[in-house]
Amino acid sequence: MKASGPVFVLASFALGVVALLGARSQAHEEDWRKLADREPIVRAPALLGGPFNGLRGAAEFDSQGVDLLAWLPLTEFGDPENGADCWGYVSPSGREYAILGTSSGTEFIDLSDPANPVHIASIPGAESLWRDIKVKGHHAYSVNEDSGGVQVIDLSQIDQGAVTLVTSVTEGGLQTVHNVAINPESDTLYLAGSNIGNGSLLAMDISDPANPTIVGRWQQQGARYAHDAQVVTWRSGPLAGREIAFSFDGGNGLHVLDVTVKSDIRLIGVSRYADLRYCHQGWLSPDHTRLYVNDELDERYAPNVTTTLTRVFDVTDPENPTLIDTFTNGLGAIDHNLYTKDDLVFEANYTTGLRVFRARDDGTHDEVAFIDTHPNDDDPTFNGAWSVYPYLPSGTLIISDIERGLFVTRLVEDRFAPSLRLADAPEIVTPSGSRMVTVEVIPGGPAIDASRVTLHARIGEGPFLSYPMRPVEDDGGADRFVVELPEGECAEVVEYLITAIDEGGGVARLPINAADTLSVRIASEFQQVGTWTMEAEDDGWRVEERFSTAREGAWERAVPAPGPNQPFEDVSEPGLSAWVTGPGPTDNAFDRDVDDGSTTLISPSIDLSAFEAGDDAVKIAYHRWYSQVVESRDRADTFRVEVSRNGDRWFEVESLGVEHPDTGAGWVRHEFAPLTIIDPGPNVQLRFVVDDIGGDDGIEAGVDDVSVFVLRCEEPVPPCPADWNADDAANPQDFFDFLNDYFSGAGPRGTGDFNADGFTNAQDFFDFLNAYYEACP
């Protein structure tokens, strides 16, 4: 458990924020809003001393599979207000160096002995929270968000302890830059978020590395402010040999650019993924098939994102980046900077420090190692680990931390953590149904100790009890374990978690977050208590004119008509009608679609006042249709579903865009638990909003068959003993059927042995008569 310690607020930092907020251009608004939202920089007294050189297991920093070799607090660098980015450099002699950006300048650290790093040089710079560095050849390029342009730093004499500021490039009025990127295979430096133009990606020729010159900027096709970028030479397909930039552009999403011709940078691909808040940074997998992306604001502001979320895009076709997966470690921190090496993804995730994930052959990702550089908490604030550099040949890893400076670490793969995946578990346990839970254990380093895979469960508010899980035989080589959940009464909740310990002492937990558990309710079924088939004109559904601005294509209740991107029929059986946008037959995807604005459909009120907040015993299901024929590259159009307690404040249930897997998939059923999003009330409403704001795309949507389900708990009705023929009724026919079986020795129960004592005799006859004249339950 993390605990909060004494805090010391740097007042000058807060004052600096106030002063700076008024001085930034509109292109940087989101970034500076984020700065204003940052928690104060804090220092615990124990952090104000000299460098800590110690081994894994230092009390300050929890870790798994990572050795802490050395720690250099900010006091080692003149006590600047904060640490920022980091990078690495290898001199011609093979000596390795860390490069650390701080609020005051760029610092150089000799890592020849990584357990005893030596701070050898500083290049001062303008005071700035942000400082980012990249290296090409024997020159480092350092930028900041205050002034001074691009600092060019000569590293050729670093082995002799000397680094030299060659020049500061301010060509064309260049002063501030958020970040820089370099394609190792070209002589171009790319600037992201500069004060030139709107901050879109800008190219500088560094064929003469000491004299960068501006040679181009993305200006066409709706150029956007760039927050960060990765630039590579593409290896396969029609774009082989072209220089491709993946530009992470804040609230505008991901843009893919062809930057081969610097004077004519072209947009070739776009993604505005679901729950986009601030597309911050990303990195390609080594084979260039996947792109890992972090969004810096979704953990704070996207209602569907409650834990650290990394997005995975298929970029085998860079012109069509496609979101294919997400993964999380279950913690609440914001993800910041990430890099890939071999099958590992290294993430500097602010308050949870460095997190290392392994990409599995099946496309999944498991956390295998970590070191927590911010032991205070795991909150979604802008504190803790800023970046990581995993490319030094020795395997030394460096981590930069906002409050704590530089960490020098090393992975220890034979201490990687195991991980757990839930292979099978019931969603609802009926009083007489299966209670089996199966888990797959994935070793990290050492083998799993089969005797130490355990399910911990409790009923209601009772104590947690431990239940050893047993290996599954013939599981095809996978390490699967199974156990039954404990029995409980109808309507009770079984809460549980699973742990596994390997032979090296590594522990895996499911769920990962120590504050979370899994749960299953003992009940009969979800029972439908209300439905709208959209057939009746007076059912309370309506188009909200206040929020409908589209020139055409508004919601209408109609019989769906054939069209290239319209539903051909409704969902309800029997039924004909649905709510659709711009209904009517057409052969053109751009006829009758939503154009130039939005259209909003609102449900009648749903009374959920009898339930409690957070209760998942209520579900709302609906069928939706969404089609988007993309004409423009600016894919800002969405189909949003929202829920409100009273029609005042609305909360997002889901958002579909062109990248969503259900877009173009026809009618799709979706369900959610509304009281996990809003508080209960008598006037809960849904609304369905379709936007056409990003260009001339063909936008069509549909809604049908909306239902409310409530979890019911009904004890199973015991069988009626006198219902001898099992036709669900006790009547004279049962009497005659019993007599026939009694005298023949046959029948549905084998014989006339009514009382099952092993004999058919007069006692059976009298027992049957007694049961027959008693009322059945």
Side-chain angles (χ1 to χ4, degrees), residues 414-488:
D414 62 5
R415 291 203 300 267
F416 275 10
S419 55
L420 298 174
R421 292 186 197 156
L422 198 61
D424 188 33
E427 294 184 6
I428 300 174
V429 175
T430 61
S432 58
S434 171
R435 308 191 312 276
M436 302 301 293
V437 172
T438 305
V439 67
E440 181 180 353
V441 185
I442 302 167
I448 296 299
D449 184 343
S451 67
R452 304 180 75 183
V453 181
T454 309
L455 181 137
H456 312 267
R458 69 176 179 178
I459 306 293
E461 297 300 318
F464 276 96
L465 301 177
S466 297
Y467 302 86
M469 302 185 75
R470 62 183 184 276
V472 176
E473 297 180 2
D474 301 323
D475 63 354
D479 287 320
R480 287 190 174 91
F481 296 79
V482 66
V483 73
E484 277 192 316
L485 291 168
E487 292 185 358

Side-chain angles (χ1 to χ4, degrees), residues 483-567:
V483 73
E484 277 192 316
L485 291 168
E487 292 185 358
E489 299 296 324
C490 209
E492 289 184 318
V493 173
V494 182
E495 192 176 359
Y496 67 97
L497 60 99
I498 300 169
T499 59
I501 301 176
D502 65 28
E503 294 176 354
V507 179
R509 187 187 190 280
L510 185 72
I512 297 171
N513 191 346
D516 292 340
T517 57
L518 302 168
S519 64
V520 60
R521 192 183 296 267
I522 302 173
S524 295
E525 62 181 356
F526 275 98
Q527 185 176 52
Q528 183 173 301
V529 296
T531 188
W532 292 274
T533 62
M534 309 308 183
E535 302 298 322
E537 294 287 342
D538 57 352
D539 61 3
W541 287 81
R542 59 187 173 85
V543 178
E544 178 53 78
E545 300 297 340
R546 289 181 303 158
F547 304 115
S548 297
T549 60
R551 175 171 50 84
E552 60 181 350
W555 286 109
E556 295 182 39
R557 188 197 310 267
V559 176
N565 65 335
Q566 296 185 31

Side-chain angles (χ1 to χ4, degrees), residues 95-432:
R95 187 175 294 181
E96 295 179 349
Y97 296 88
I99 306 174
L100 174 69
T102 73
S103 56
S104 300
T106 308
E107 313 295 335
F108 298 85
I109 301 97
D110 186 345
L111 299 178
S112 299
D113 178 1
N116 293 282
V118 179
H119 178 216
I120 59 171
S122 298
I123 297 295
E127 285 291 323
S128 173
L129 170 66
W130 292 276
R131 193 172 312 277
D132 287 84
I133 313 103
K134 296 294 185 296
V135 174
K136 177 70 189 298
H138 304 305
H139 287 81
Y141 300 89
S142 181
V143 297
N144 71 85
E145 286 265 25
D146 185 86
S147 61
V150 177
Q151 289 184 311
V152 182
I153 303 168
D154 186 350
L155 307 179
S156 61
Q157 300 301 310
I158 195 170
D159 285 352
Q160 287 73 48
V163 295
T164 306
L165 177 63
V166 177
T167 187
S168 294
V169 181
T170 57
E171 178 187 354
L174 179 66
Q175 285 294 323
T176 66
V177 183
H178 182 76
N179 213 326
V180 285
I182 296 176
N183 176 6
E185 300 177 28
S186 78
D187 291 325
T188 309
L189 176 72
Y190 295 90
L191 311 188
S194 75
N195 65 302
I196 293 180
N198 64 352
S200 61
L201 206 63
L202 182 149
M204 302 187 85
D205 181 2
I206 54 172
S207 55
D208 179 356
N211 293 288
T213 57
I214 296 174
V215 291
R217 179 167 62 88
W218 179 30
Q219 302 182 71
Q220 297 83 15
Q221 301 166 285
R224 295 288 189 267
Y225 164 82
H227 192 78
D228 205 336
Q230 184 186 9
V231 187
V232 297
T233 300
W234 208 247
R235 302 171 181 171
S236 60
L239 296 174
R242 307 289 294 180
E243 197 169 2
I244 304 300
F246 293 87
S247 186
F248 309 98
D249 297 345
N252 294 304
L254 168 69
H255 292 88
V256 186
L257 308 173
D258 185 335
V259 296
T260 309
V261 180
K262 310 301 181 274
S263 60
D264 188 24
I265 294 174
R266 293 285 176 175
L267 175 66
I268 62 171
V270 178
S271 174
R272 291 181 57 85
Y273 46 81
D275 294 309
L276 167 65
R277 291 301 182 270
Y278 200 83
C279 185
H280 174 263
Q281 185 262 355
W283 208 256
L284 290 161
S285 60
D287 62 2
H288 289 187
T289 61
R290 299 180 304 281
L291 178 70
Y292 296 91
V293 174
N294 49 64
D295 186 303
E296 196 177 8
L297 296 183
D298 57 346
E299 287 86 4
R300 288 180 70 100
Y301 302 118
N304 296 320
V305 180
T306 57
T307 59
T308 309
L309 191 71
T310 304
R311 292 169 172 81
V312 187
F313 289 81
D314 179 347
V315 289
T316 50
D317 176 7
E319 294 179 303
N320 292 286
T322 303
L323 180 65
I324 58 172
D325 196 16
T326 61
F327 61 86
T328 180
N329 61 1
L331 301 178
I334 298 168
D335 43 347
H336 194 223
N337 287 319
L338 66 84
Y339 297 95
T340 64
K341 182 181 179 183
D342 301 327
D343 62 348
L344 299 177
V345 182
F346 299 81
E347 300 191 1
N349 289 347
Y350 277 135
T351 56
T352 55
L354 170 66
R355 299 283 156 168
V356 183
F357 296 84
R358 171 158 279 158
R360 306 289 182 184
D361 291 340
D362 63 359
T364 59
H365 298 77
D366 298 302
E367 183 177 289
V368 294
F370 74 91
I371 181 169
D372 189 351
T373 63
H374 183 84
N376 309 58
D377 55 60
D378 294 337
D379 295 343
T381 60
F382 305 102
N383 302 84
W386 181 296
S387 196
V388 56
Y389 185 77
Y391 302 118
L392 292 173
S394 67
T396 299
L397 291 172
I398 56 175
I399 306 162
S400 57
D401 188 278
I402 296 170
E403 292 88 2
R404 291 176 171 83
L406 183 72
F407 291 80
V408 183
T409 68
R410 178 170 291 149
L411 290 183
V412 186
E413 291 209 26
D414 62 5
R415 291 203 300 267
F416 275 10
S419 55
L420 298 174
R421 292 186 197 156
L422 198 61
D424 188 33
E427 294 184 6
I428 300 174
V429 175
T430 61
S432 58

